[in-house]
Amino acid sequence: MIKKIILVFVFIPIIVVSFAANLSKDNMIINLNDNTWITNQIAEKIKSIGSYMYNINIKDAMSNSININDYDVTMNIFTNTKENITIAFGYFDGGGFSYSEESGETSDWVEKFAVKTLETLSIQRFLYGENWDVLQITFWKGVDEYPVFQNNKLYLVSDRYIGNREIYIFDFKEGTQDKIPLEYSAEYFPDISPNDEYLTFQTTLFGKWDIVLYNLETKEIQKISPPDKNAYSPYFYDNTLILFTMDEDSGQWTEVWIYDLYYDKLEKLTESKDLLKFRPTKWDGNKISFYGVDHQTANMNVYFVDEENSISPLIAQQNNQTDNWSNGSELLVFSEFNGTYFSIYEYDDGEKRNLSGMLTNDCFYPTYTPDKKYVFFTNYYSESDIFVINREKINMNEQ
């Protein structure tokens, strides 16, 4: 039987550790191996859309020699007019990259080529690069959000190419980008089962906010939320259990629910009308963390549900916190407002650490990689893109 939850105000002491430094852009040199319109346009587009991450110089490959030691990335671009192929390739400290496709003639083609070149570079730097603290992974001019990384695959929501939010799967090892083709609905909050068999996500596919289960092998979609309630932000507790929240009393508040896909059974885990609850996640063993919006104050803070089904504040301070996430360990990442913008913080045994202090933009939706070496998140500057922090390097830099 589910115990009725008592809201217990237990304030856990917080020690704040800050990592304060501005983002240091990497230096890139682009060598043009011909003087065609295509190569020049691609180089200028890469310089434009890559300007947040890189200081970029463009040179004629036949011009005066350069000192490649001055650059973190060297890129070459040329067009094979005989084969009608455009190629971008180069190297960085630790490895190299290459991207090519049949040459196009429009500005849209140039932009897509530039985006894919930069994303190919970033993926290879993530896999093999040796000297980065933070990397921009996506460069699409629209929306790239809600990243989850597992088994060398990045799951995210993007509106690239058609303007509709869909779930994309970037396979880092294979160099492919696939999507779940749901072109007449909007998708949010993807999560992958630990055994890589299922995706779960929030969708408007059935006319309201629902939680669905997607079989990655059969491509079948199963709705697991009931027909009379909006449901939000699903999360795999383990291979067969999915946490999410649902509206109560016509949306006046939300509660945390758990779905057992093996028994096809739903169970409510919380019963508290004081909070709008979102993004439940497994934390510190069998506890469940979520962020809640207080009805009285409108403050957003991180809470947890213990083994006795009691709700307590985990991080209750003047600043708002949102988008908490963990993968069952004692570590938890979340986004907190610092007075100017939201930064990515980590909570660990009473200490709070700013992981994205080098980025002076709003940052949301952080998630750990399974080995906890990296934190993926969304950075909102002039647009929204997926970034990743090398957590181990930042921790070493703090010492």
Side-chain angles (χ1 to χ4, degrees), residues 20-68:
N22 291 326
L23 175 66
S24 178
K25 295 184 181 183
D26 290 337
N27 295 316
M28 179 192 297
I29 182 70
I30 298 179
N31 296 311
L32 301 182
N33 289 266
D34 56 63
N35 195 32
T36 65
W37 176 88
I38 293 176
T39 56
N40 280 281
Q41 290 295 307
I42 290 172
E44 292 295 338
K45 181 59 67 172
I46 289 174
K47 183 176 182 179
S48 174
I49 64 178
S51 62
Y52 188 94
M53 189 73 209
Y54 296 100
N55 294 313
I56 300 176
N57 288 329
I58 301 173
K59 297 280 189 180
D60 187 328
M62 301 304 294
S63 65
N64 296 332
S65 62
I66 60 170
N67 184 0
I68 61 173

Side-chain angles (χ1 to χ4, degrees), residues 158-295:
S158 179
D159 69 349
R160 56 184 61 202
Y161 312 133
I162 66 170
N164 185 69
R165 292 171 183 262
E166 298 175 286
I167 294 175
Y168 278 76
I169 304 172
F170 287 18
D171 190 318
F172 280 26
K173 285 291 189 180
E174 298 298 325
T176 59
Q177 295 182 9
D178 296 318
K179 70 173 182 177
I180 300 175
L182 298 173
E183 298 181 356
Y184 298 100
S185 59
E187 280 64 53
Y188 294 80
F189 295 104
D191 196 30
I192 179 70
S193 62
N195 59 11
D196 295 311
E197 292 183 4
Y198 293 97
L199 274 176
T200 184
F201 50 90
Q202 178 182 324
T203 180
T204 62
L205 183 62
F206 300 97
K208 63 178 183 64
W209 289 122
D210 281 298
I211 305 303
V212 299
L213 189 67
Y214 180 81
N215 188 311
L216 286 164
E217 181 177 354
T218 67
K219 315 300 182 185
E220 294 178 335
I221 294 178
Q222 174 189 352
K223 183 165 74 75
I224 64 175
S225 53
D228 57 339
K229 297 179 180 180
N230 286 310
Y232 315 97
S233 54
Y235 168 91
F236 271 102
Y237 186 91
D238 58 24
N239 286 322
T240 61
L241 299 176
I242 300 173
L243 296 171
F244 57 92
T245 64
M246 282 201 301
D247 283 346
E248 297 286 337
D249 193 20
S250 301
Q252 295 303 305
W253 75 94
T254 58
E255 299 294 354
V256 178
W257 290 71
I258 191 164
Y259 172 76
D260 189 321
L261 65 90
Y262 185 81
Y263 291 103
D264 190 24
K265 179 182 177 181
L266 268 173
E267 182 181 8
K268 187 191 293 188
L269 298 183
T270 62
E271 192 69 63
S272 168
K273 299 181 181 181
D274 299 305
L275 296 168
L276 280 165
K277 307 168 188 69
F278 298 101
R279 213 168 195 203
T281 179
K282 184 180 181 181
W283 167 71
D284 193 20
N286 292 320
K287 300 183 183 72
I288 295 172
S289 172
F290 63 89
Y291 80 88
V293 183
D294 190 292
H295 279 298

Side-chain angles (χ1 to χ4, degrees), residues 23 25 51-53 134-147 156 323 335 341-344 356-367 375-389:
L23 175 66
K25 295 184 181 183
S51 62
Y52 188 94
M53 189 73 209
V134 58
L135 273 179
Q136 181 176 350
I137 298 295
T138 66
F139 292 83
W140 174 247
K141 62 182 177 181
V143 173
D144 291 318
E145 296 174 313
Y146 309 107
L156 70 149
D323 295 331
S335 183
Y341 47 83
F342 280 86
S343 289
I344 303 301
S356 67
M358 75 292 290
L359 302 175
T360 54
N361 311 99
D362 285 330
C363 297
F364 296 102
Y365 312 119
T367 57
V375 174
F376 282 82
F377 62 98
T378 306
N379 180 14
Y380 294 79
Y381 51 108
S382 61
E383 58 189 67
S384 61
D385 280 303
I386 306 302
F387 281 63
V388 59
I389 289 170

Side-chain angles (χ1 to χ4, degrees), residues 87-118:
I87 302 171
F89 69 96
Y91 50 89
F92 51 85
D93 188 11
F97 66 97
S98 176
Y99 180 75
S100 64
E101 65 175 71
E102 184 177 331
S103 300
E105 298 179 350
T106 66
S107 58
D108 284 345
W109 180 90
V110 167
E111 180 150 8
K112 289 179 182 179
F113 188 93
V115 167
K116 289 184 178 180
T117 297
L118 284 168

